[in-house]
Amino acid sequence: MFGECGIAASEHSTIPTVTLRSTDGRHSCSIFTYGATILSWICNGEERLFVSKEAILNGTKAVRGGIPLVFPQFGQPNPAMAQHGFARNLVWEHVGSTADEHEVSTLLRCKATPDTLTLWPQDFCLLFRVSLSATSLVTEFTVANIQSNESFQFQCLQHTYLQIPHITTTSMQGLQGRSYIDKMRDAQQFLEEDTTILVDKETDRVYLPANDTSSSSTVNVLDTSTECTLVSSHASCRTSNSLTSSAIEILQGDISVLNVLGVLSSTHENNAGTKDVDVVVWNPWIAKAKALVDLNDDGYFWFVCVEPGCVSSPVSLDTHCIFSLTQTLTIPV
Ligand code: BG6
């Protein structure tokens, strides 16, 4: 087996953290069940995600760093709901894990609660599957509409904070030719003409899905001082119909990891194919970093957020359908 999975309380909180670890000790990933937030991904002995030194890790605030999940809203279009929705502030349930020679995976689940139904009156089931291998971390966020009478709409995003040597020696490639909404310029739309994107000021952009026929795209994050790719971020989404009534029972009930994975693969088997997604690029820079209570003044040096999701147009999910947003982070060998 490639590795194993454990679950325990951390030094910061009694809310458990799930840890995936390779048998050789070179690779690991930890996931705080508060928000199903990935807090660490170590590949070949090196941490690849940024978590702020000031991050609040006791389950009272969304974590500033790692990979928080944004759902069902991005930003705050509904002012009655928290910025970026409620999924990152709920305690998720650990369903179980699987392993083979190449990877170890774990699955978390979160269902609607009386509080979420007050904020957003929809019956849903969320799943988050995290798979660790020697070169990659695959994170699949799934939304199931388990109600029989109404479709619903949502935005979602994997808010990935990538650790970098320094923001001034970091660039991104793979976004050329895509239109983007620039939240720093009155949300006007522009076309990305540059092959290489540098961050030298507060940056908050939503890159729209590529217009060509590609069903997914890759953003490479590079260290300009060595010309090396630090990480490749690849993402896509798919929507599938017809959850059977026994599949819905499995998703809602006292579930086992193998049963849920069976539901996901059989439901996605006949889907209409994968689609490209939005990519948000965010760095708060000087003034915003100072204003964020859970980030050091120089915290913005050490990360860039490359966040795949569906935010520019909400996903509309019919009754008994599932939607999955998959991010693959790869470290070049
Ligand atoms: C990004 C948004 O995804 O998240 C930014 O595009 C926002 O506008 C940033 O500032 C951080 O959000 P939060 O709620 O985690 O401070």
PDB file of all heavy atoms in Angstrom, residues 86 90-93 108-117 122-127 146 248-255:
ATOM      1  N   PHE A  86     -21.033  28.924   3.625  1.00  0.00           N
ATOM      2  CA  PHE A  86     -20.916  28.302   4.944  1.00  0.00           C
ATOM      3  C   PHE A  86     -20.112  27.008   4.978  1.00  0.00           C
ATOM      4  O   PHE A  86     -19.775  26.511   6.043  1.00  0.00           O
ATOM      5  CB  PHE A  86     -22.317  28.051   5.541  1.00  0.00           C
ATOM      6  CG  PHE A  86     -23.309  27.413   4.595  1.00  0.00           C
ATOM      7  CD1 PHE A  86     -23.141  26.105   4.163  1.00  0.00           C
ATOM      8  CD2 PHE A  86     -24.421  28.131   4.131  1.00  0.00           C
ATOM      9  CE1 PHE A  86     -24.054  25.515   3.291  1.00  0.00           C
ATOM     10  CE2 PHE A  86     -25.343  27.543   3.252  1.00  0.00           C
ATOM     11  CZ  PHE A  86     -25.159  26.230   2.836  1.00  0.00           C
ATOM     12  N   LEU A  90     -18.369  24.669   8.489  1.00  0.00           N
ATOM     13  CA  LEU A  90     -19.122  23.543   9.062  1.00  0.00           C
ATOM     14  C   LEU A  90     -18.153  22.415   9.411  1.00  0.00           C
ATOM     15  O   LEU A  90     -17.123  22.264   8.753  1.00  0.00           O
ATOM     16  CB  LEU A  90     -20.124  23.005   8.036  1.00  0.00           C
ATOM     17  CG  LEU A  90     -21.288  23.932   7.660  1.00  0.00           C
ATOM     18  CD1 LEU A  90     -22.074  23.327   6.508  1.00  0.00           C
ATOM     19  CD2 LEU A  90     -22.203  24.157   8.857  1.00  0.00           C
ATOM     20  N   VAL A  91     -18.512  21.642  10.409  1.00  0.00           N
ATOM     21  CA  VAL A  91     -17.689  20.464  10.719  1.00  0.00           C
ATOM     22  C   VAL A  91     -18.173  19.311   9.834  1.00  0.00           C
ATOM     23  O   VAL A  91     -19.357  18.976   9.837  1.00  0.00           O
ATOM     24  CB  VAL A  91     -17.778  20.093  12.214  1.00  0.00           C
ATOM     25  CG1 VAL A  91     -16.964  18.823  12.487  1.00  0.00           C
ATOM     26  CG2 VAL A  91     -17.259  21.249  13.068  1.00  0.00           C
ATOM     27  N   TRP A  92     -17.257  18.783   9.042  1.00  0.00           N
ATOM     28  CA  TRP A  92     -17.571  17.697   8.123  1.00  0.00           C
ATOM     29  C   TRP A  92     -17.329  16.361   8.829  1.00  0.00           C
ATOM     30  O   TRP A  92     -16.545  16.277   9.785  1.00  0.00           O
ATOM     31  CB  TRP A  92     -16.694  17.787   6.873  1.00  0.00           C
ATOM     32  CG  TRP A  92     -16.975  18.957   5.970  1.00  0.00           C
ATOM     33  CD1 TRP A  92     -17.099  20.271   6.325  1.00  0.00           C
ATOM     34  CD2 TRP A  92     -17.181  18.901   4.553  1.00  0.00           C
ATOM     35  NE1 TRP A  92     -17.358  21.041   5.212  1.00  0.00           N
ATOM     36  CE2 TRP A  92     -17.407  20.228   4.106  1.00  0.00           C
ATOM     37  CE3 TRP A  92     -17.179  17.877   3.611  1.00  0.00           C
ATOM     38  CZ2 TRP A  92     -17.627  20.544   2.766  1.00  0.00           C
ATOM     39  CZ3 TRP A  92     -17.400  18.190   2.274  1.00  0.00           C
ATOM     40  CH2 TRP A  92     -17.634  19.509   1.863  1.00  0.00           C
ATOM     41  N   GLU A  93     -17.997  15.341   8.303  1.00  0.00           N
ATOM     42  CA  GLU A  93     -17.879  14.000   8.869  1.00  0.00           C
ATOM     43  C   GLU A  93     -16.840  13.219   8.057  1.00  0.00           C
ATOM     44  O   GLU A  93     -16.828  13.311   6.819  1.00  0.00           O
ATOM     45  CB  GLU A  93     -19.276  13.397   8.725  1.00  0.00           C
ATOM     46  CG  GLU A  93     -19.459  11.983   9.004  1.00  0.00           C
ATOM     47  CD  GLU A  93     -20.846  11.538   8.474  1.00  0.00           C
ATOM     48  OE1 GLU A  93     -21.607  12.355   7.921  1.00  0.00           O
ATOM     49  OE2 GLU A  93     -21.114  10.353   8.621  1.00  0.00           O
ATOM     50  N   LEU A 108     -14.719  12.910   2.915  1.00  0.00           N
ATOM     51  CA  LEU A 108     -15.473  13.612   3.953  1.00  0.00           C
ATOM     52  C   LEU A 108     -16.840  13.979   3.396  1.00  0.00           C
ATOM     53  O   LEU A 108     -17.002  14.156   2.182  1.00  0.00           O
ATOM     54  CB  LEU A 108     -14.728  14.879   4.409  1.00  0.00           C
ATOM     55  CG  LEU A 108     -13.458  14.605   5.209  1.00  0.00           C
ATOM     56  CD1 LEU A 108     -12.240  14.598   4.314  1.00  0.00           C
ATOM     57  CD2 LEU A 108     -13.275  15.651   6.290  1.00  0.00           C
ATOM     58  N   ARG A 109     -17.795  14.131   4.304  1.00  0.00           N
ATOM     59  CA  ARG A 109     -19.162  14.445   3.871  1.00  0.00           C
ATOM     60  C   ARG A 109     -19.758  15.526   4.765  1.00  0.00           C
ATOM     61  O   ARG A 109     -19.432  15.608   5.961  1.00  0.00           O
ATOM     62  CB  ARG A 109     -20.046  13.210   3.972  1.00  0.00           C
ATOM     63  CG  ARG A 109     -21.519  13.525   3.713  1.00  0.00           C
ATOM     64  CD  ARG A 109     -22.378  12.287   3.737  1.00  0.00           C
ATOM     65  NE  ARG A 109     -22.589  11.810   5.110  1.00  0.00           N
ATOM     66  CZ  ARG A 109     -23.444  10.837   5.429  1.00  0.00           C
ATOM     67  NH1 ARG A 109     -24.158  10.237   4.500  1.00  0.00           N
ATOM     68  NH2 ARG A 109     -23.566  10.458   6.681  1.00  0.00           N
ATOM     69  N   CYS A 110     -20.666  16.298   4.169  1.00  0.00           N
ATOM     70  CA  CYS A 110     -21.378  17.328   4.931  1.00  0.00           C
ATOM     71  C   CYS A 110     -22.788  17.431   4.363  1.00  0.00           C
ATOM     72  O   CYS A 110     -22.966  17.446   3.148  1.00  0.00           O
ATOM     73  CB  CYS A 110     -20.570  18.612   4.751  1.00  0.00           C
ATOM     74  SG  CYS A 110     -21.341  20.109   5.103  1.00  0.00           S
ATOM     75  N   LYS A 111     -23.779  17.452   5.257  1.00  0.00           N
ATOM     76  CA  LYS A 111     -25.172  17.510   4.793  1.00  0.00           C
ATOM     77  C   LYS A 111     -25.809  18.804   5.300  1.00  0.00           C
ATOM     78  O   LYS A 111     -25.304  19.437   6.230  1.00  0.00           O
ATOM     79  CB  LYS A 111     -25.950  16.322   5.369  1.00  0.00           C
ATOM     80  CG  LYS A 111     -25.484  14.993   4.797  1.00  0.00           C
ATOM     81  CD  LYS A 111     -26.412  13.850   5.161  1.00  0.00           C
ATOM     82  CE  LYS A 111     -26.277  13.429   6.604  1.00  0.00           C
ATOM     83  NZ  LYS A 111     -27.041  12.214   6.938  1.00  0.00           N
ATOM     84  N   ALA A 112     -26.949  19.136   4.722  1.00  0.00           N
ATOM     85  CA  ALA A 112     -27.680  20.330   5.159  1.00  0.00           C
ATOM     86  C   ALA A 112     -28.039  20.196   6.640  1.00  0.00           C
ATOM     87  O   ALA A 112     -28.289  19.089   7.129  1.00  0.00           O
ATOM     88  CB  ALA A 112     -28.945  20.478   4.322  1.00  0.00           C
ATOM     89  N   THR A 113     -28.010  21.316   7.350  1.00  0.00           N
ATOM     90  CA  THR A 113     -28.375  21.340   8.775  1.00  0.00           C
ATOM     91  C   THR A 113     -29.508  22.362   8.940  1.00  0.00           C
ATOM     92  O   THR A 113     -29.746  23.174   8.021  1.00  0.00           O
ATOM     93  CB  THR A 113     -27.181  21.816   9.638  1.00  0.00           C
ATOM     94  OG1 THR A 113     -26.928  23.205   9.300  1.00  0.00           O
ATOM     95  CG2 THR A 113     -25.923  21.005   9.406  1.00  0.00           C
ATOM     96  N   PRO A 114     -30.175  22.407  10.088  1.00  0.00           N
ATOM     97  CA  PRO A 114     -31.206  23.442  10.280  1.00  0.00           C
ATOM     98  C   PRO A 114     -30.649  24.848  10.016  1.00  0.00           C
ATOM     99  O   PRO A 114     -31.328  25.689   9.416  1.00  0.00           O
ATOM    100  CB  PRO A 114     -31.619  23.248  11.739  1.00  0.00           C
ATOM    101  CG  PRO A 114     -31.357  21.787  12.008  1.00  0.00           C
ATOM    102  CD  PRO A 114     -30.133  21.435  11.198  1.00  0.00           C
ATOM    103  N   ASP A 115     -29.391  25.091  10.395  1.00  0.00           N
ATOM    104  CA  ASP A 115     -28.800  26.426  10.161  1.00  0.00           C
ATOM    105  C   ASP A 115     -28.594  26.700   8.674  1.00  0.00           C
ATOM    106  O   ASP A 115     -28.879  27.800   8.193  1.00  0.00           O
ATOM    107  CB  ASP A 115     -27.435  26.550  10.867  1.00  0.00           C
ATOM    108  CG  ASP A 115     -27.608  26.709  12.361  1.00  0.00           C
ATOM    109  OD1 ASP A 115     -28.736  26.985  12.805  1.00  0.00           O
ATOM    110  OD2 ASP A 115     -26.601  26.535  13.080  1.00  0.00           O
ATOM    111  N   THR A 116     -28.087  25.707   7.932  1.00  0.00           N
ATOM    112  CA  THR A 116     -27.864  25.960   6.491  1.00  0.00           C
ATOM    113  C   THR A 116     -29.207  26.124   5.782  1.00  0.00           C
ATOM    114  O   THR A 116     -29.340  26.927   4.869  1.00  0.00           O
ATOM    115  CB  THR A 116     -27.034  24.844   5.805  1.00  0.00           C
ATOM    116  OG1 THR A 116     -27.798  23.642   5.735  1.00  0.00           O
ATOM    117  CG2 THR A 116     -25.718  24.586   6.504  1.00  0.00           C
ATOM    118  N   LEU A 117     -30.230  25.364   6.250  1.00  0.00           N
ATOM    119  CA  LEU A 117     -31.548  25.459   5.594  1.00  0.00           C
ATOM    120  C   LEU A 117     -32.174  26.837   5.817  1.00  0.00           C
ATOM    121  O   LEU A 117     -32.909  27.338   4.967  1.00  0.00           O
ATOM    122  CB  LEU A 117     -32.473  24.348   6.102  1.00  0.00           C
ATOM    123  CG  LEU A 117     -32.092  22.945   5.598  1.00  0.00           C
ATOM    124  CD1 LEU A 117     -32.835  21.855   6.363  1.00  0.00           C
ATOM    125  CD2 LEU A 117     -32.376  22.805   4.101  1.00  0.00           C
ATOM    126  N   GLN A 122     -32.111  24.572   0.766  1.00  0.00           N
ATOM    127  CA  GLN A 122     -31.926  23.484  -0.197  1.00  0.00           C
ATOM    128  C   GLN A 122     -31.340  22.279   0.525  1.00  0.00           C
ATOM    129  O   GLN A 122     -30.453  22.434   1.362  1.00  0.00           O
ATOM    130  CB  GLN A 122     -30.950  23.904  -1.312  1.00  0.00           C
ATOM    131  CG  GLN A 122     -31.260  25.220  -1.969  1.00  0.00           C
ATOM    132  CD  GLN A 122     -32.582  25.223  -2.747  1.00  0.00           C
ATOM    133  OE1 GLN A 122     -33.164  24.169  -3.024  1.00  0.00           O
ATOM    134  NE2 GLN A 122     -33.078  26.399  -3.081  1.00  0.00           N
ATOM    135  N   ASP A 123     -31.824  21.095   0.140  1.00  0.00           N
ATOM    136  CA  ASP A 123     -31.302  19.874   0.756  1.00  0.00           C
ATOM    137  C   ASP A 123     -30.168  19.324  -0.123  1.00  0.00           C
ATOM    138  O   ASP A 123     -30.397  18.965  -1.280  1.00  0.00           O
ATOM    139  CB  ASP A 123     -32.430  18.845   0.895  1.00  0.00           C
ATOM    140  CG  ASP A 123     -32.047  17.764   1.884  1.00  0.00           C
ATOM    141  OD1 ASP A 123     -31.009  17.911   2.568  1.00  0.00           O
ATOM    142  OD2 ASP A 123     -32.780  16.769   1.965  1.00  0.00           O
ATOM    143  N   PHE A 124     -28.972  19.307   0.439  1.00  0.00           N
ATOM    144  CA  PHE A 124     -27.800  18.928  -0.355  1.00  0.00           C
ATOM    145  C   PHE A 124     -26.959  17.930   0.422  1.00  0.00           C
ATOM    146  O   PHE A 124     -27.107  17.769   1.644  1.00  0.00           O
ATOM    147  CB  PHE A 124     -26.947  20.170  -0.674  1.00  0.00           C
ATOM    148  CG  PHE A 124     -26.415  20.855   0.556  1.00  0.00           C
ATOM    149  CD1 PHE A 124     -25.260  20.401   1.186  1.00  0.00           C
ATOM    150  CD2 PHE A 124     -27.078  21.942   1.122  1.00  0.00           C
ATOM    151  CE1 PHE A 124     -24.779  21.007   2.339  1.00  0.00           C
ATOM    152  CE2 PHE A 124     -26.597  22.556   2.277  1.00  0.00           C
ATOM    153  CZ  PHE A 124     -25.453  22.081   2.879  1.00  0.00           C
ATOM    154  N   CYS A 125     -26.062  17.314  -0.295  1.00  0.00           N
ATOM    155  CA  CYS A 125     -25.035  16.489   0.332  1.00  0.00           C
ATOM    156  C   CYS A 125     -23.734  16.868  -0.361  1.00  0.00           C
ATOM    157  O   CYS A 125     -23.673  16.907  -1.598  1.00  0.00           O
ATOM    158  CB  CYS A 125     -25.388  15.029   0.118  1.00  0.00           C
ATOM    159  SG  CYS A 125     -24.084  13.919   0.625  1.00  0.00           S
ATOM    160  N   LEU A 126     -22.712  17.224   0.414  1.00  0.00           N
ATOM    161  CA  LEU A 126     -21.399  17.581  -0.148  1.00  0.00           C
ATOM    162  C   LEU A 126     -20.417  16.470   0.182  1.00  0.00           C
ATOM    163  O   LEU A 126     -20.439  15.929   1.294  1.00  0.00           O
ATOM    164  CB  LEU A 126     -20.863  18.882   0.473  1.00  0.00           C
ATOM    165  CG  LEU A 126     -21.749  20.126   0.412  1.00  0.00           C
ATOM    166  CD1 LEU A 126     -21.025  21.308   1.070  1.00  0.00           C
ATOM    167  CD2 LEU A 126     -22.114  20.476  -1.022  1.00  0.00           C
ATOM    168  N   LEU A 127     -19.559  16.171  -0.776  1.00  0.00           N
ATOM    169  CA  LEU A 127     -18.505  15.175  -0.554  1.00  0.00           C
ATOM    170  C   LEU A 127     -17.181  15.806  -0.944  1.00  0.00           C
ATOM    171  O   LEU A 127     -17.128  16.604  -1.899  1.00  0.00           O
ATOM    172  CB  LEU A 127     -18.746  13.940  -1.422  1.00  0.00           C
ATOM    173  CG  LEU A 127     -20.058  13.194  -1.159  1.00  0.00           C
ATOM    174  CD1 LEU A 127     -20.371  12.246  -2.309  1.00  0.00           C
ATOM    175  CD2 LEU A 127     -19.989  12.434   0.156  1.00  0.00           C
ATOM    176  N   ILE A 146     -30.159  16.310  -3.554  1.00  0.00           N
ATOM    177  CA  ILE A 146     -30.880  15.086  -3.192  1.00  0.00           C
ATOM    178  C   ILE A 146     -32.373  15.344  -3.012  1.00  0.00           C
ATOM    179  O   ILE A 146     -33.117  14.442  -2.639  1.00  0.00           O
ATOM    180  CB  ILE A 146     -30.276  14.445  -1.920  1.00  0.00           C
ATOM    181  CG1 ILE A 146     -30.204  15.458  -0.779  1.00  0.00           C
ATOM    182  CG2 ILE A 146     -28.902  13.868  -2.195  1.00  0.00           C
ATOM    183  CD1 ILE A 146     -29.697  14.863   0.516  1.00  0.00           C
ATOM    184  N   ILE A 248     -29.252   7.797  -3.484  1.00  0.00           N
ATOM    185  CA  ILE A 248     -29.566   8.893  -2.552  1.00  0.00           C
ATOM    186  C   ILE A 248     -29.572   8.384  -1.112  1.00  0.00           C
ATOM    187  O   ILE A 248     -29.056   9.039  -0.207  1.00  0.00           O
ATOM    188  CB  ILE A 248     -30.902   9.561  -2.942  1.00  0.00           C
ATOM    189  CG1 ILE A 248     -30.684  10.296  -4.268  1.00  0.00           C
ATOM    190  CG2 ILE A 248     -31.382  10.539  -1.871  1.00  0.00           C
ATOM    191  CD1 ILE A 248     -31.917  10.825  -4.904  1.00  0.00           C
ATOM    192  N   GLU A 249     -30.103   7.189  -0.938  1.00  0.00           N
ATOM    193  CA  GLU A 249     -30.079   6.595   0.419  1.00  0.00           C
ATOM    194  C   GLU A 249     -28.646   6.426   0.911  1.00  0.00           C
ATOM    195  O   GLU A 249     -28.332   6.693   2.059  1.00  0.00           O
ATOM    196  CB  GLU A 249     -30.744   5.217   0.397  1.00  0.00           C
ATOM    197  CG  GLU A 249     -32.176   5.248   0.861  1.00  0.00           C
ATOM    198  CD  GLU A 249     -32.839   3.912   0.638  1.00  0.00           C
ATOM    199  OE1 GLU A 249     -32.258   2.875   1.038  1.00  0.00           O
ATOM    200  OE2 GLU A 249     -33.935   3.917   0.043  1.00  0.00           O
ATOM    201  N   ILE A 250     -27.763   5.996  -0.002  1.00  0.00           N
ATOM    202  CA  ILE A 250     -26.353   5.800   0.384  1.00  0.00           C
ATOM    203  C   ILE A 250     -25.739   7.145   0.770  1.00  0.00           C
ATOM    204  O   ILE A 250     -25.056   7.280   1.784  1.00  0.00           O
ATOM    205  CB  ILE A 250     -25.568   5.141  -0.767  1.00  0.00           C
ATOM    206  CG1 ILE A 250     -25.999   3.685  -0.912  1.00  0.00           C
ATOM    207  CG2 ILE A 250     -24.057   5.235  -0.542  1.00  0.00           C
ATOM    208  CD1 ILE A 250     -25.411   2.956  -2.087  1.00  0.00           C
ATOM    209  N   LEU A 251     -25.998   8.188  -0.036  1.00  0.00           N
ATOM    210  CA  LEU A 251     -25.394   9.498   0.245  1.00  0.00           C
ATOM    211  C   LEU A 251     -25.887  10.077   1.564  1.00  0.00           C
ATOM    212  O   LEU A 251     -25.153  10.741   2.275  1.00  0.00           O
ATOM    213  CB  LEU A 251     -25.702  10.484  -0.881  1.00  0.00           C
ATOM    214  CG  LEU A 251     -25.085  10.166  -2.244  1.00  0.00           C
ATOM    215  CD1 LEU A 251     -25.405  11.257  -3.234  1.00  0.00           C
ATOM    216  CD2 LEU A 251     -23.573  10.011  -2.131  1.00  0.00           C
ATOM    217  N   GLN A 252     -27.172   9.827   1.862  1.00  0.00           N
ATOM    218  CA  GLN A 252     -27.764  10.443   3.057  1.00  0.00           C
ATOM    219  C   GLN A 252     -27.544   9.626   4.312  1.00  0.00           C
ATOM    220  O   GLN A 252     -27.572  10.160   5.409  1.00  0.00           O
ATOM    221  CB  GLN A 252     -29.272  10.560   2.870  1.00  0.00           C
ATOM    222  CG  GLN A 252     -29.685  11.748   2.060  1.00  0.00           C
ATOM    223  CD  GLN A 252     -31.186  11.874   2.084  1.00  0.00           C
ATOM    224  OE1 GLN A 252     -31.881  10.979   1.617  1.00  0.00           O
ATOM    225  NE2 GLN A 252     -31.678  12.951   2.645  1.00  0.00           N
ATOM    226  N   GLY A 253     -27.364   8.323   4.127  1.00  0.00           N
ATOM    227  CA  GLY A 253     -27.432   7.428   5.289  1.00  0.00           C
ATOM    228  C   GLY A 253     -26.107   7.235   5.986  1.00  0.00           C
ATOM    229  O   GLY A 253     -25.200   8.062   5.902  1.00  0.00           O
ATOM    230  N   ASP A 254     -26.041   6.097   6.643  1.00  0.00           N
ATOM    231  CA  ASP A 254     -24.876   5.734   7.418  1.00  0.00           C
ATOM    232  C   ASP A 254     -23.899   5.102   6.429  1.00  0.00           C
ATOM    233  O   ASP A 254     -23.901   3.894   6.219  1.00  0.00           O
ATOM    234  CB  ASP A 254     -25.360   4.725   8.469  1.00  0.00           C
ATOM    235  CG  ASP A 254     -24.322   4.492   9.509  1.00  0.00           C
ATOM    236  OD1 ASP A 254     -23.319   5.225   9.494  1.00  0.00           O
ATOM    237  OD2 ASP A 254     -24.511   3.571  10.315  1.00  0.00           O
ATOM    238  N   ILE A 255     -23.069   5.904   5.799  1.00  0.00           N
ATOM    239  CA  ILE A 255     -22.434   5.472   4.558  1.00  0.00           C
ATOM    240  C   ILE A 255     -21.075   4.811   4.757  1.00  0.00           C
ATOM    241  O   ILE A 255     -20.386   5.053   5.732  1.00  0.00           O
ATOM    242  CB  ILE A 255     -22.269   6.660   3.582  1.00  0.00           C
ATOM    243  CG1 ILE A 255     -21.600   7.847   4.272  1.00  0.00           C
ATOM    244  CG2 ILE A 255     -23.582   7.022   2.995  1.00  0.00           C
ATOM    245  CD1 ILE A 255     -21.379   9.016   3.356  1.00  0.00           C
TER     246      ILE A 255
END
